[in-house]
Amino acid sequence: MAPSTPRLVIPVDLKKKPWQQNPPLHNRWHPDIPAVAEVKTGELFRVEMVDWTGGTISDDHSALDVKTLDLSIVHYLSGPIRVVDTDGNPARPGDLLAVEICNLGPLPGDEWGFTAIFDRENGGGFLTDHFPCATKAIWYFEGIYAYSPHIPGVRFPGLTHPGIVGTAPSMELLNIWNERERELEETGLQTLKLCEVLHSRPLANLPSTKGCVLGKIKEGSLEWEKVAREAARTIPGRENGGNCDIKNLSRGSKVYLPVFVDGANLSTGDMHFSQGDGEVAFCGAIEMSGFLELKCEIIRDGMKKYLTPMGPTRLHVNPIFEIGPVEPRFSEWLVFEGISVDESGRQHYLDASVAYKRAVLNAIDYLSRFGYSKEQVYLLLSCCPCEGRISGIVDSPNAVATLAIPIAIFDQDIRPKIGSVPTGPRLVRNNPVLPQCTYDGNLPITKNPSASI
């Protein structure tokens, strides 16, 4: 039997705004957002997606669009997609939805992407206390490779993947999300010392009608007002999958998602050409428009069979991810270590987030000795195929995290050696001005007096 051509169930038109797409997009999680398409198990189908900002970021040499980006609009998702079996019976709450990624890539004619650092007052990021200025790098694709005129001297293969694949929550699960995240937002700064160290604001992104897009639900209707006030933002990953940003979910991967509503209501978006572990700049992958070609299967009663709740209700489960066989091969890596002692010298107890922050900062400071600005390195470590690890989590008081960077992506040898630190000829000859804005806020900025630059 000849292979089938995938059925296009959700197209996008990049000449149109996100709210003009047909079928409509959405940027919230809620059980009442209607499905815009239906697929059967075993069917090969194609979904197209705008980039997560809906085309707000331009292919140019200014970072003003990053600084002024309205984060209430993200992420724009394609879906929901109702999944039924070959007899027409929908996926049911308690089932598992197995989603296989058969093919993916950038949309034809739109082979470029961007990586950005958000302004300290507008989104920030993992190192926002060190890098408060909105900054942007544009990347162009040559087949499987990416290069940037704003970060010269590097070229690497992309491991393309969707940042978001998820199912709709039930109303019970949605209420659990909103209650726990509201409590964090209201009390976290006083009760969680880590919030002081990482300097991320806000601590959670609570439901908001501002920027809300709800697919087929007509804005201005009573239903829209109700759903918009309840619907969860798409920014964090949760029990339904969602924004997990797992860079290895490429061709041949499978995602086993819990089903909470009839039909599962699968949605996807936030396509990445490449990403480093952690996506540390927040807008840190190479963000792009793109497509997925998928197949779905329904595992009846799969949640009970395969998922044990790690919480007080049967809904406190998480997806399982099966990594595909396709990924870049590198044989040489330079690995940077971090421990759970912050930049002030303060000891934290087995805190992997602080340790990973230190590992990333160590890598940035090191690579800046080779002719790069620290902002260029920060962007690069967000989007290149670097590998992050929790290397030690039991030897009190220090957690140990590592960040491994493939040496081959540089046009110069970045390893320590006898003699002076070299800089590659391409970097010296063609080091551009990185698009960047000023920081005009007054939130605290961390300065490291011992840094090399």
Side-chain angles (χ1 to χ4, degrees), residues 7-72:
R7 178 168 67 98
L8 178 60
V9 298
I10 300 182
V12 296
D13 184 346
L14 296 180
K15 296 178 182 178
K16 294 182 177 180
K17 299 296 184 182
W19 53 89
Q20 298 172 325
Q21 298 295 329
N22 183 25
L25 309 180
H26 67 101
N27 61 9
R28 300 291 194 270
W29 295 116
H30 196 284
D32 292 342
I33 298 175
V36 299
E38 181 175 290
V39 299
K40 288 189 175 182
T41 54
E43 176 186 7
L44 181 64
F45 62 95
R46 180 183 172 106
V47 179
E48 295 181 347
M49 289 153 281
V50 299
D51 80 78
W52 75 300
T53 71
T56 304
I57 306 301
S58 301
D59 177 7
D60 60 21
H61 299 287
S62 170
L64 187 61
D65 50 6
V66 174
K67 183 173 182 175
T68 59
L69 178 64
D70 179 4
L71 290 175
S72 72

Side-chain angles (χ1 to χ4, degrees), residues 276-297:
D277 281 337
E279 199 186 9
V280 288
F282 185 24
C283 187
I286 300 181
E287 311 286 349
M288 67 173 195
S289 64
F291 72 91
L292 289 174
E293 292 175 1
L294 305 172
K295 281 186 179 181
C296 292
E297 296 293 340

